[in-house]
Each structure stands twice: as structure tokens, then as C-alpha cells.
Amino acid sequence: MTTGTDTPDPDGRGGSVLRAGSRLAGPQGWAPSALERERAAYRKRRSVRSLTVSALSTAVVAAVLVVLVTSAPGWPAVRHAYFSWDKAVASFPAVLDGLWLNIRIMAVCGVIIAVLGLLIAVGRTLRGPVAFPVRVLCTGYVDLFRGLPLLLVLLLLGYGMPALRLTGVPNSPLFWGGMALVLSYSAYVAEVFRAGIESVHPSQRAAARSLGLTYGKTLRHVVLPQAVRRVVPPLMNDLVSLQKDSGLVSILGVVDAIRAAQIETAIDFNYTPYVVAGLLFICLTIPMARLTDWVARRQGFQGAGGHL
Amino acid sequence: MTLLSVRHVRKSFGAHVVLEDLTMSVEAGQCVVLIGPSGSGKSTILRCLNLLEQVDDGQIVLSGDDITDPRVNADAVRARIGMVFQAYNLFPHMSVLDNVTLAPRRVHGIPAAQAREKAMAMLERVGLADKARARPDDLSGGQQQRVAIARALVNGPELMLLDEVTSALDPELVGEVLDLLVELKSEGMTMVLNTHEMGFAREVADTVCFLHDGRVHESGAPAQVLGDPVQPRTREFLRRVHG
């Protein structure tokens, strides 16, 4: 059996014969030829077969996993400690309350990160010797905060800054937790924006400059609008990531969903609240992920025209 | 009156010298067509004229202003010169109308409503007023190039530079763009263009310059340069172009 037969070949001989035939019959009166009916039947048989195979293998793997986990010697204890329905119900309000803080952190930091990231990206792509210090500064910033683990930034800022006891410097762990997220994420986001800026073809700049637009106006009206549009899907991916990393501020004692779950577990050493928090985070990120997919698909469709 | 005068211009990219010693001048209202083999510097000189490239040496004088002087404001000079590119280079994220109003609004500070009026008049002129709301990607190549011409013209340029404006077009769309250029020329627009369309060069040019080795190798009336070239290099090039 050849594998090529199940891929439709619009330029193949069968296709052109079919199209010629359909044109003769007119757009209304088209009925598939015996050849096309045979091919359609073949494609259907193939897809039914592959669907069956994949469904069966998924079921088998799932069954094996369930048997493996539930037959483990420690399963009854684990089930009680991690999947207690009563504990889940009891801890749910506190964890949900904590999640509301995560959402607020995500929203506020997300906006600041986007603005800061864009500024750094523009700084890194500025041209000419005059902008050299700006480029060095922005590159250094990105190198530093992309290299430092987020957890380390959180600990250093969260405990270090309040310890300085500087007047006017806030000592709220929430503030420094958010600051650490902003510093780390804006370095990543800046690189995403930079990739977008550099993906705009030089001919676009040439066209804008030839009209008399200055460097800055070219950037603002021609380069950035195209760059930002192109990087929306990867940026949303970073936003999904920020959504869950907002949970890391719990390490500073901020009562977010994770910290709330931790407090709940401390009552009776039942870890179900962690599972509850995990499920809530998933519920939060899934719509975002689907939205990202949708935006990416839409862009891919538009981009298929090609304009460079 | 000499509108543009190019004096001993040299331009290299790294070790590759594209323009060796290029001298030419363009009278107001004249159309100069540059021909020559690929790599002879036809596009480079146009980019130098618009200050998109900085010359290594020599001088370019536009209406008496030395535009190669580093003290001149390059953006102000570019606003006086219209340029049209081979690949149209329309801004894909803007409507056709916004493409045309961009320069009036952002360079000349004309209020939005007035800029729209100007742009619509210009689109009317290139026969695309009905496409004002469309995106560049939805237009044919010939239509896109006409929009690009309108975008350049709306600035009211002293000089138009046209860089192989029909090279990317399907043969049946070349005509609509060339007709527009013939019309422009009859209205007295000064133009410098390069093209592979020898028939069009013959029709529209006042002067044809054959570029070779980074210089103007031969120049003169189209009938002379294209019909009875003096230089053997020119003859060879034309023989090759005509097959």
C-alpha cells in the first residue's frame, strides 16, 4: 500500500478531470464521479481506522496508569491526603480568595511588563552611535534578569529591600513580589518585542523614511504596529506563564492561592488544598491558552497573503 | 533649469564599489531613464538621491541645495522627493487611505480631515478612490503600485524616483502603471527612473543614461542611445535585452 494515495492531489490528473467534468455539468448540477466517490470512501475508511487505533491506545494507556497508581501500596494514604472531597470543599473558599490576588497581580504586572518590555526592546534596537549607552543599558538589563532565576530575584528583593529600612521604600512583600515578576518578565518580553521589531522588513523603514518620516515616527507608525501584531501570540504565552508564576510570591508570605492552600494544609496535614489550587490555576490558564491559539490561527491566516 | 545635479558620486558597500564616479544632471520637467545590466548601480543611485544611502564621495544638488551636506535635514529633503519601489512597500497594517495620508499628517502636520481630502483626490487620480478602505494585500500588484505612486505624489514632490516600478508586476498589469507615469510626465513632473522596459524608456524618456561600471557610460536622446548607441558596451547590453 502506498501512503501517497490518501493525500488529495488537487493538481493530479483525477482532480483536473473532475473539475473539467463539473464545469460541464454546471456549478449547480455537480455530482461526484465514480472515481471521486471511490476516493472519498477510501479516505473515510482510513480516518475511521486511525481514529479507532488512537482511541483504543489512549484508553489502554489510561487504564494501565489507573491500575498502576491505585494498586500501589501507598495509594489509600495518598488518596486520603491528596484527594479528600471534604477537605477540598472546606478549603475551596480560602484558596479561591487567594486566587483573586493572583489574578490582580497578573493584571497589574502584565500591563507594567508590556510597557517596560516594549521600551527596553526599542532601546535595544535604536541605531547610531548616539544611542550606544541606551543599547548597552538595555542589553545589560536583559542579560541580568533573563539570567537570574525568578525565585532568586523574589528572595533578594522580598527580604533584602525591606531589610534596608530606607525611608520611602515600601516594605510590603506583595510590592516586592510584584516588582520581582516585573523585572524578570520584562526582560523576556523585551526579547519577544525585539524579535518582532527585527522581523519587520527593512523595505518598510525605507518606504517610511522616503516619505520624510523621522526615525521615531517611522518606528511609531510603521515598525511598531506591525511588530506588536506579529508577537501577540508569544506575548500571550508569556502572560499564561505569568499567571501561574504569580503564585511564586507566596514564598514571601503573601497570601495568594498557593499560600492559602499551604495554610489550609497546616491544619491537618491534608494536601488536598494544593490539588484544589492546582486545578484552579489550570482553570485560569486554559481559557487564556485557547485564546492564544485562536489569535495565532487568525494571524496565520492573515499572514498567508505575504506582504514583504 | 537644472533641478538635480549629481557630481562624481561614489558609493561602495564594503569592498564592493557600486558607483565609481557618477555624474549626471536632470532638468526640471525632464524624465531621465537609467538602463544598464543588473548590478550596475541603477537602484543604488536612486537610493543615494533619496538619502536612503549615504554617498562615499561626490555631491548631489537638488534645486540649488547640496543635499549631501551632513548639516541638511535628511527628513526634510526626503519629503521633497517622492520614491516608488519595485516591491511597492505599502504599509500592510494600514488601509490604502491611511497609507496615503500618513505623510501629509505626520510629516507636514496637515489636519486629518484635510489630509483625507488630499489623499482621496490623489487616489481618484490614480483611479483607486473606490479602494480607499481596502488593505494593500487585497489589491492586485498593479493597484498596489498605483497606491504607492499616489502615496509619493501626495507630498507634492519636486522630483520622483521610480525604482523598477513594473518589475514585480504580471505583464498584463504593467500597462496601467506605465500609463500613469506617462500621464505624470505630460503634467511636467521631473522623474528619474530605472526600468527594463525599453519600449517604455523610448516613449517617456528625454534622456537615457546607460550605466556601466559605476559610471554613466553613455547618455543622450532615447532614439540615439537605444537606436544607435556609440559605445560597444551599450550595444552589447541592448542586444542582450532584446534577445
Side-chain angles (χ1 to χ4, degrees):
Chain A
M1 182 176 64
T2 53
T3 47
T5 46
D6 60 338
T7 50
D9 178 13
D11 296 314
R13 225 166 131 220
S16 56
V17 166
L18 187 69
R19 250 179 275 137
S22 70
R23 211 173 292 133
L24 284 176
Q28 305 295 318
W30 177 72
S33 65
L35 176 66
E36 174 59 21
R37 282 199 304 275
E38 197 273 322
R39 284 189 304 216
Y42 175 74
R43 285 189 204 112
K44 199 176 170 197
R45 279 200 306 276
R46 291 274 304 196
S47 62
V48 165
R49 213 185 67 161
S50 40
L51 236 148
T52 316
V53 169
S54 58
L56 273 178
S57 54
T58 308
V60 167
V61 169
V64 166
L65 272 175
V66 166
V67 169
L68 216 65
V69 170
T70 55
S71 68
W75 169 243
V78 166
R79 190 176 60 180
H80 173 73
Y82 285 88
F83 301 102
S84 153
W85 176 252
D86 294 339
K87 183 69 185 176
V89 171
S91 63
F92 186 77
V95 177
L96 191 66
D97 208 34
L99 192 74
W100 174 230
L101 182 66
N102 288 100
I103 294 172
R104 280 178 296 166
I105 292 174
M106 191 271 288
V108 172
C109 291
V111 171
I112 302 172
I113 287 163
V115 173
L116 194 60
L118 188 60
L119 286 178
I120 295 164
V122 167
R124 277 198 82 174
T125 53
L126 287 181
R127 287 170 195 182
V130 185
F132 179 73
V134 181
R135 279 199 301 271
V136 168
L137 202 72
C138 293
T139 309
Y141 177 91
V142 170
D143 284 350
L144 180 66
F145 284 103
R146 224 162 37 137
L148 276 176
L150 175 55
L151 198 56
L152 212 61
V153 181
L154 269 163
L155 291 172
L156 289 176
L157 288 184
Y159 292 131
M161 295 309 284
L164 288 175
R165 291 200 217 152
L166 288 169
T167 46
V169 172
N171 57 6
S172 133
L174 180 59
F175 176 86
W176 289 112
M179 181 66 94
L181 285 173
V182 166
L183 290 176
S184 262
Y185 266 81
S186 53
Y188 279 100
V189 166
E191 286 301 276
V192 174
F193 276 127
R194 187 167 73 105
I197 290 170
E198 283 172 0
S199 78
V200 176
H201 199 269
S203 65
Q204 287 285 310
R205 283 180 194 260
R209 297 307 297 275
S210 80
L211 291 172
L213 267 74
T214 59
Y215 182 95
K217 282 178 178 169
T218 298
L219 199 63
R220 189 169 136 223
H221 298 292
V222 174
V223 178
L224 285 184
Q226 296 185 58
V228 170
R229 240 163 270 214
R230 265 177 225 183
V231 296
V232 163
L235 281 180
M236 288 176 74
N237 189 41
D238 280 345
L239 191 60
V240 170
S241 184
L242 174 69
Q243 227 163 33
K244 62 190 168 65
D245 276 353
S246 67
L248 287 175
V249 299
S250 61
I251 200 162
L252 301 178
V254 176
V255 186
D256 74 324
I258 294 177
R259 183 72 179 164
Q262 197 180 16
I263 292 167
E264 290 292 318
T265 63
I267 299 170
D268 53 5
F269 297 105
N270 187 305
Y271 294 128
T272 307
Y274 283 141
V275 175
V276 171
L279 289 175
L280 282 175
F281 270 108
I282 291 173
C283 290
L284 200 61
T285 52
I286 283 177
M288 201 64 185
R290 287 295 83 76
L291 187 64
T292 308
D293 288 349
W294 180 75
V295 170
R297 251 201 324 276
R298 224 176 112 236
Q299 288 215 331
F301 179 67
Q302 284 184 338
H307 37 63
L308 288 183
Chain B
M1 182 196 118
T2 304
L3 184 88
L4 176 75
S5 144
V6 180
R7 298 169 192 162
H8 308 293
V9 161
R10 182 191 165 87
K11 175 69 193 173
S12 60
F13 296 99
H16 178 53
V17 181
V18 181
L19 302 177
E20 182 89 47
D21 179 6
L22 193 138
T23 297
M24 62 183 232
S25 75
V26 182
E27 300 295 311
Q30 227 195 6
C31 175
V32 172
V33 173
L34 310 174
I35 59 168
S38 89
S40 59
K42 303 187 299 285
S43 288
T44 304
I45 183 61
L46 291 184
R47 292 176 69 89
C48 288
L49 292 178
N50 204 13
L51 305 181
L52 289 174
E53 302 288 351
Q54 193 182 320
V55 299
D56 297 348
D57 206 344
Q59 232 183 359
I60 300 169
V61 180
L62 175 70
S63 307
D65 306 324
D66 176 3
I67 61 172
T68 41
D69 186 330
R71 278 159 295 200
V72 304
N73 178 352
D75 295 316
V77 170
R78 291 193 196 100
R80 292 163 58 188
I81 302 173
M83 183 148 185
V84 184
F85 301 85
Q86 180 176 358
Y88 337 128
N89 299 7
L90 294 178
F91 307 127
H93 61 295
M94 296 179 182
S95 69
V96 163
L97 182 64
D98 290 342
N99 265 274
V100 183
T101 56
L102 182 68
R105 294 186 57 192
R106 306 297 173 192
V107 179
H108 301 283
I110 295 172
Q114 211 180 322
R116 261 175 62 107
E117 224 168 274
K118 274 186 77 160
M120 282 310 293
M122 205 47 81
L123 284 172
E124 191 83 54
R125 165 142 189 231
V126 301
L128 289 169
D130 57 323
K131 300 285 185 190
R133 299 252 149 264
R135 292 278 162 154
D137 282 353
D138 299 330
L139 304 185
S140 74
Q143 291 172 331
Q144 289 194 50
Q145 197 59 294
R146 278 147 66 199
V147 172
I149 292 170
R151 182 176 71 175
L153 282 176
V154 80
N155 266 339
E158 297 166 42
L159 170 70
M160 284 284 279
L161 307 174
L162 302 127
D163 187 7
E164 305 209 8
V165 291
T166 58
S167 300
L169 296 178
D170 286 340
E172 85 259 30
L173 302 178
V174 168
E176 62 187 67
V177 173
L178 295 186
D179 289 348
L180 184 58
L181 298 183
V182 171
E183 219 181 287
L184 263 183
K185 144 101 180 144
S186 70
E187 287 164 19
M189 177 59 76
T190 313
M191 298 193 276
V192 179
L193 59 97
N194 61 33
T195 186
H196 293 299
E197 308 274 337
M198 292 304 152
F200 172 65
R202 198 184 286 269
E203 182 185 357
V204 79
D206 295 300
T207 306
V208 173
C209 297
F210 174 68
L211 265 61
H212 181 69
D213 280 344
R215 302 160 195 273
V216 176
H217 206 65
E218 178 165 4
S219 73
Q224 184 260 306
V225 177
L226 298 174
D228 183 23
V230 179
Q231 301 288 340
R233 282 280 181 202
T234 318
R235 240 175 277 154
E236 196 192 319
F237 169 73
L238 289 171
R239 198 169 51 241
R240 249 186 249 150
V241 170
H242 291 131

